[in-house]
Amino acid sequence: MAEPNETSFRESVDLMFNRAVALMDLSPGLEEKIRVCNSTYTVRFGVRLRGTIHTFTGYRSVHSEHMEPVKGGIRYAMGVNQDEVEALAALMTYKCALVEAPFGGSKGGLRIDPRAYDEHELELITRRFAYELIKRDLIDPAQNVPAPDMGTSEREMAWIADQYARMNTTDINARACVTGKPLNAGGIAGRVEATGRGVQYALREFFRHPEDVKAAGLSGDLDGKRVIVQGLGNVGYHAASFLRAEDGCRITGIIERDGALFNPDGLDVDAVRDWIAKHGGVKGFPDAGHIAHGADVLEEECDILIPAALEGVINRSNASRIKAPLIIEAANGPVTAAADDILREKGTVIIPDMYANAGGVTVSYFEWVKNLSHIRFGRMQRRAEEARTLMLVNELERLSSDKGLGWTLSPGFKDKYLRGADELELVRSGLDDTMRIAYQSMRAVWHAREDVKDLRTAAYIVSISKVAASYQAKGI
Ligand code: NAD
């Protein structure tokens, strides 16, 4: 939703890409090959609903196939168009490279307001859209693996997985055709909250580096930091809820479709979420002021701003008034290229989308591996791990008693230490590790190079180098 005089989402991504490649030593041919979107398939299909045929328009865009399968979510929103889907597919290429998820970049979208249809109608529409993509190999465990995005959730992913299985009855890896499925349909523990969890891990890693915290004009850790979040959907809700409950952040502002809530003492994120579920919006929520023009709250004083809804919300028209010293882009493309320039000048630190919201694709990668290996993570080793730990604990206790030392392990420690990791713990560990390593790779470039002034340019340099190496290894 950029201003009329603003570049489009895809142009913004290209401008940011160009700024980074200008600092790299790639041949112009390779630069162009990486930048362009390989293909975009547009489909128009009809579904009979309420006695008449409704025609829908959908897209699946493949940005880069330097690794296959390609990966990227499917979005349901009225604003979906080719430009947006191509921008999102490009971001997927860079995101996967940055966090070392072995995929090329893709994205899909359906121009629809999902709230205008009931569940049965949405199932018919989703299955038909999936059918159109599956028959062209645009959904396939080896070639193209979608996931949820705005307006879709595990429910739609389960329908897509089932549709694929019906059309490929002998494919033993059918479940790996889509990620973000419910657990009972081949999903993985921790996927629903993965993107929000990744935002939390990204902020924790940022605050482990005092030099970076200082660059944003902040100090200390996350405890007590004032946070404003835009969009209390899958990503925004989980990020805000974890930051509040586990890191002591104060969520002072929540911006939704029907306005914003603001309370300097902090908002109960779970209560707001329940209120939205019951009343369809934030309006009327007690214990907070309601601001009808929600986007104004983006400009309120806070320590951390988390845009987690739409692209282009921080643009030429409001960038200079943004007071947050630190922005973490939980949504894709919330800051336009023009706004990025203005904010960089002001010294605002931006943790860029391709890193900040990579938790989703990271855990999707784990889910895809789980589906291909046909076994839950931890199933083979968990009890063996517990048995070995118990042996060690028993031996320590025996030694202590033999030598009359009187050492005892506290029961809380013993219980925790003896418990082998289950799938959720392994997923969190893998996600945390990924977010830490990726941040460190970006900051290394940010701090090592005089000509790299921000984390976004650093992120592009790291990811483009990896994509370039893949193309070069292929001999292109
Ligand atoms: P979602 O549909 O679950 O939630 C979006 C939320 O934003 C909803 O609560 C909606 O009411 C709100 N919203 C819509 N328009 C708004 C407006 N004008 N102002 C304020 N709020 C508004 O979507 P999501 O999955 O949380 O995705 C949000 C963003 O995160 C998107 O940019 C998406 O591409 C990105 N993302 C999502 C995932 C994922 O795993 N779901 C992964 C990576 C990136």
Side-chain angles (χ1 to χ4, degrees), residues 1 75-76 88 92 95 107 115 147-153 191-192 194-196 230-237 255-259 273 276 294-295 307-311 313 329-334 353 357-361 364:
M1 264 204 274
R75 172 176 288 197
Y76 282 6
L88 290 163
M92 281 306 296
K95 189 180 305 184
K107 201 80 180 193
R115 293 170 306 164
D149 192 74
M150 217 163 101
T152 58
S153 66
R191 174 61 184 89
V192 174
T195 312
Q230 183 187 40
L232 210 64
N234 178 303
V235 179
Y237 162 68
I255 309 167
E256 257 294 331
R257 288 176 202 270
D258 64 331
R273 172 93 157 176
I276 296 174
L310 305 167
E311 55 262 22
V313 292
E329 296 181 328
N332 283 305
D353 47 7
N357 65 39
V361 75
S364 274

Side-chain angles (χ1 to χ4, degrees), residues 94-166:
Y94 309 133
K95 189 180 305 184
C96 291
L98 184 67
V99 297
E100 299 188 332
F103 303 122
S106 181
K107 201 80 180 193
L110 189 63
R111 196 181 303 149
I112 184 177
D113 176 2
R115 293 170 306 164
Y117 298 91
D118 68 27
E119 186 166 21
H120 176 64
E121 292 169 332
L122 279 173
E123 178 174 353
L124 291 176
I125 298 163
T126 302
R127 283 186 183 275
R128 183 58 202 254
F129 184 32
Y131 167 83
E132 296 293 338
L133 298 180
I134 292 163
K135 73 176 182 186
R136 290 172 179 86
D137 295 335
L138 287 165
I139 296 179
D140 181 292
Q143 289 201 45
N144 197 324
V145 182
D149 192 74
M150 217 163 101
T152 58
S153 66
E154 24 173 49
R155 180 183 67 176
E156 285 74 15
M157 302 307 114
W159 292 332
I160 294 172
D162 185 65
Q163 187 65 32
Y164 180 88
R166 287 185 189 189

Side-chain angles (χ1 to χ4, degrees), residues 249-300:
C249 288
R250 213 167 358 126
I251 313 299
T252 52
I254 292 177
I255 309 167
E256 257 294 331
R257 288 176 202 270
D258 64 331
L261 299 175
F262 192 78
N263 183 345
D265 297 330
L267 291 153
D268 179 341
V269 179
D270 290 274
V272 177
R273 172 93 157 176
D274 290 347
W275 184 270
I276 296 174
K278 240 187 240 152
H279 304 275
V282 292
K283 208 169 170 188
F285 181 77
D287 309 328
H290 179 263
I291 295 96
H293 190 249
D296 289 351
V297 173
L298 291 168
E299 300 166 23
E300 281 293 334

